[in-house]
Every structure is written in C-alpha cells, then in structure tokens.
C-alpha cells in the first residue's frame, strides 16, 4: 500500500517537520488575521465611513483572486516590480494574513451589525458610556457569535497553506512528493501511503480546533 | 409637591416630519402620569426624548433643574437618574438575571459588589424572581423577562421611571404580573411616566392622564375625569375604540 516508505530512514520525521512548517505559517497568519481582523471589522462596522470603503475593496480583491495568484504576485511579481525581496515564508504570511484579515473583518463586522440596536439603547439608558457598552454588552455577544465562524476560517487557512509549495516552501505536501519521487522504483505505491498519512496529519491538526469550537458553542449556548 | 421633571416647549422632528410639537408639562415628585393616545401620536418618542435616546430640536427637559436633553456630554451620569423599561425587555442575553441586574450598578456606579448583590436579591424577591436569578433570559417567559428588566432599572435608584408599552409584547396572562409590579411601584410613590394601551390599568394606576394626538398634548386631566368625560371629540373617539357592542 505504500506505507512502508515512511518507515525508511527519517521519512516520517521529515513529513512531521513539513507539517511543522505548514502549521508555523498558518498559526502566524491566523494570529495576525484575527488581531487585524478585529480592528478592521470594528472600523468597517461604521457604514459610510472611509474604513468601510477600503474594507469592501480589500474583501472583493481577496474573494476574486485565487490565493495562488496572490502568492505569485507577492513572491515573484513584487521582487521585480517593487524590488521587495521577500523570503518565501514572509510572502506566504503576508498573503495569508491579507486574506485572513479581510475574511475575519467581514465576520466581525457582520456579528457586530447583527446585535440589535435595542441592546445599545438599553445600555445607554442604564448609564453605560460607549466604551462600557462595547466592553460589557456588545463584545461578549459578538465573541460568542464569532467563535464558530472564525474556527471555520482558521481550518480553511491551515488547509490552504499547502499552496505555499508552489513558491518553493518545503512543507508537508512538498516533503511527501519528495519522498514519493525518491522511492519511485522501490515503492511504486508510495503515493497512496504518503498522501493518506498527510491526510491524517491535516485531520489531526484541524480536528482539535473544530472540537474546541463545539465545546465553546456548548458552553455559551445561552 | 414640587415639580421634579419639566418638559418645556419641546419640539421633535424626524427630517420634515414633525413628531412632537410644543410639548409642555411637568411631573410632580411621586406622581404617576399615564400617556395615552393612538399609535404614532408620539408617546414613545416623548419617552425616548426624556431618556436622552433622541435628540430634540427645540425646548428643554430638566430633572430637578439639571438639563437632561439636550444633555451635557460630560454629564451622561444624569441618565441613570431616569430609568427606562422597554417593550422588548432588552435584557443582555449572555448574562443571567442576577448579572443583568448587577452589571450597571457595579460597572457604572462602581458600587460595592456584595452590597449590590444583596439589594438585587431583595428586589428580585419583591417581583417574585428569586428562583430565576441564575437563569439566562432565554429560559424565562416574557412576563418574567419584563419583571427582571424592571428590577434592572430599579436598582439604579432612578428618580423617574419611564415605561414604554411594557406589556405590549406579552401574552395576555403575563400582562397582569407585570402590571402588578407597576401598581406596587406607584403605591410606593415612585415618580412614573407610563405609556400604555391597557385602559383599565391606566385608570387604576394614574394620578394624571395625558392624552396625545398628532404630537401634541390634547388633554391633561385626572383618570376619573378623562375616562368618564373626555373634553375633546378626538379623545372620545379614541376611547370608543376600546368599547365593543354586540352586532345585531
């Protein structure tokens, strides 16, 4: 079945290190996206503001352009056109954060506008100022609505990091390909075994995140 | 008794549409004033102006001589002296009943937590919600939610209480429990302004009835007088809509 190649030499360790690269890129991009997305989303919730327009354009670009094209533009395009010699990892983090920030901001914005106006009014009539209203009334409710949606975004980001092999980063999928190539004659079936293990590795990385979301949803049912 | 709340020549419009025109009255300390009138006559808007939720275009509203609308931005605390209860309860869904009640006194008034908790317990007991204090709003009936919302307002010890059609969204059998709480408050000589469509209740609770139509106060009298002998034709027609005769 092709699993045996993974037992040869350091192949399994190499695969795990590849997964480490993929996770490092995703975690960094996710953290940047969440922080930047929270701020952008709050600013974008003020309709008719300049922030809203900038955010709409940003979101449209991200939605229309395949992530791979964005990666190529930043990694190959910018180095020639703008003279930015980014490392492949920096380019990847930049692109994924650019994407994640837009999507996260949209989630934050829609969660914010879904809070009924009466929540603001009753807070105001209880004497809360704007900051207190946000802190004690609005944001806790936004947070609860945001968790399942943002977890979905996080798992999508983890999966999409497999694209970075196209700009030469040796992550888990690329390592897998290298192992298959190197054993083409001895183990012609390696493709199945290696990709099956990669599937399990991605599952192991994403499943706990998705469980966490289920747990929080249950806890905050009220 | 002295006047506690004064509304002087108040004008309010939304764009070109005039909603309130030259509203001028004052409320004495301990008085229960009921505002009635057809839908869209401006009753709710008037309460919202008094609570500072709406800007006003002319005139002024004062509480014990302090301007509350237009309000000095630095003096938002004056809002706590006017408590408002809304039609749709508007409890905070992520907090339990007790937390809903305690949030404003602890966070805004910075009062001692255990002292507030004790007072919250007493007030919740008074409205019969002791057993529900750790429930979340979605676990409560409409009437229970509204009683919790009243307590949440009461704990701030406001000088004036505003009630904006607080029973309008309730099932009939829950209306009573909320109205009883309000009758109790009126008996305690709280200063209250009530917008309601419950005529029997209005008659029982009011010290004074204001009848509004098309943004103006048309009648200002006692409940006995108003319900028995309305002066204006408009009020007579309005009251008639609450009467039914068998069609033969």
């Amino acid at each position: 079945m092709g699993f045996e190649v993974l037992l040869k030499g350091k192949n399994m360790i190499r695969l795990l290190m590849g997964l480490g690269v993929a996770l490092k890129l995703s975690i960094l991009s996710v953290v940047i996206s969440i922080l930047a997305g929270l701020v952008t989303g709050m600013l974008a919730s003020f309709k008719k503001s300049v922030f809203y327009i900038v955010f709409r354009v940003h979101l449209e670009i991200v939605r229309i352009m395949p992530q791979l094209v964005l990666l190529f533009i930043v990694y190959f395009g910018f180095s020639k056109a703008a003279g930015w010699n980014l490392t492949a990892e920096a380019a990847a983090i930049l692109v994924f954060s650019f994407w994640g920030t837009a999507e996260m901001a949209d989630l934050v914005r829609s969660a914010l506008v879904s809070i009924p106006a009466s929540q603001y009014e009753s807070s105001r009539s209880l004497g809360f100022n704007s900051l207190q209203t946000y802190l004690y009334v609005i944001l806790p409710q936004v947070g609860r609505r945001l968790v399942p949606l943002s977890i979905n975004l996080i798992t999508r980001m983890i999966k999409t990091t497999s694209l970075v092999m196209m700009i030469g980063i040796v992550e888990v999928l690329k390592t897998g390909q290298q192992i298959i190539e190197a054993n083409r004659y001895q183990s012609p079936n390696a493709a199945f075994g290696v990709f099956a293990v990669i599937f399990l590795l991605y599952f192991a990385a994403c499943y706990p995140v998705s469980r966490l979301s289920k747990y929080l949803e249950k806890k905050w049912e009220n | 008794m002295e006047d506690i709340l004064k509304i002087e020549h108040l004008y309010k419009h939304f764009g070109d549409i005039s909603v309130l025109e030259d509203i001028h009255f004052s409320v004495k300390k301990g008085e229960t004033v009921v505002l009635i009138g057809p839908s869209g006559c401006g009753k709710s808007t008037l309460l919202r102006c008094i609570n500072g939720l709406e800007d006003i275009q002319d005139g002024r509203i004062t509480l014990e001589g302090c301007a509350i609308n237009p309000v000095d931005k630095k003096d938002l605390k004056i809002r706590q002296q006017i408590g408002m209860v809304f039609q749709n309860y508007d409890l905070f869904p992520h907090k339990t009943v007790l937390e809903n009640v305690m949030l404003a006194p602890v966070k805004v008034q910075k009062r001692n937590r255990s002292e507030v908790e004790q007072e919250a317990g007493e007030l919740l007991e008074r409205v019969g919600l002791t057993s529900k204090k750790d429930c979340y709003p979605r676990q409560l009936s409409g009437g229970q939610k509204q009683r919790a919302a009243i307590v949440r307002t009461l704990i701030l010890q406001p000088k004036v209480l505003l009630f904006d059609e607080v029973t309008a969204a309730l099932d009939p059998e829950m209306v009573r429990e909320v109205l009883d709480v309000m009758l109790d408050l009126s008996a305690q000589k709280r200063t209250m302004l009530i917008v309601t469509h419950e005529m029997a209740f209005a008659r029982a609770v009011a010290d004074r009835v204001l009848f509004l139509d098309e943004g103006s106060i048309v009648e200002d009298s006692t409940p006995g007088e108003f319900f028995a002998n309305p002066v204006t034709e408009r009020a007579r027609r309005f009251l008639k809509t609450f009467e039914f005769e068998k069609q033969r």
Side-chain angles (χ1 to χ4, degrees), chain A residues 118-119 121-129 132 136-137 140-141 144 221-222, chain B residues 48 51-52 79-80 86 90-94 103-104 107-108 136 138 152 156:
Chain A
S118 58
Q119 289 284 310
E121 288 186 348
S122 60
S123 311
R124 212 170 135 181
S125 80
L126 290 171
F128 290 99
N129 61 30
Q132 289 167 327
Y136 302 122
V137 180
Q141 293 183 60
R144 282 159 170 73
E221 219 169 16
N222 301 296
Chain B
R48 292 168 60 85
N51 198 27
R79 288 237 175 84
Q80 289 162 24
F86 299 84
D90 299 317
L91 293 173
F92 305 133
H94 60 296
L103 194 63
K107 299 294 182 190
V108 180
Y136 285 90
R138 67 176 186 96
R152 185 176 69 169
L156 295 172

Side-chain angles (χ1 to χ4, degrees), chain A residues 65-87:
Chain A
M65 290 258 256
Q67 274 85 28
L68 192 56
V69 178
L70 277 173
L71 269 177
F72 283 174
I73 288 185
V74 171
Y75 185 60
F76 300 118
F78 282 11
S79 67
K80 285 269 184 283
W84 291 10
N85 280 310
L86 294 173
T87 64

Side-chain angles (χ1 to χ4, degrees), chain A residues 23-34:
Chain A
L23 287 182
K24 187 180 101 186
L25 289 178
S26 357
I27 290 169
L28 280 169
S29 316
V30 161
V31 169
I32 295 171
S33 301
I34 288 180

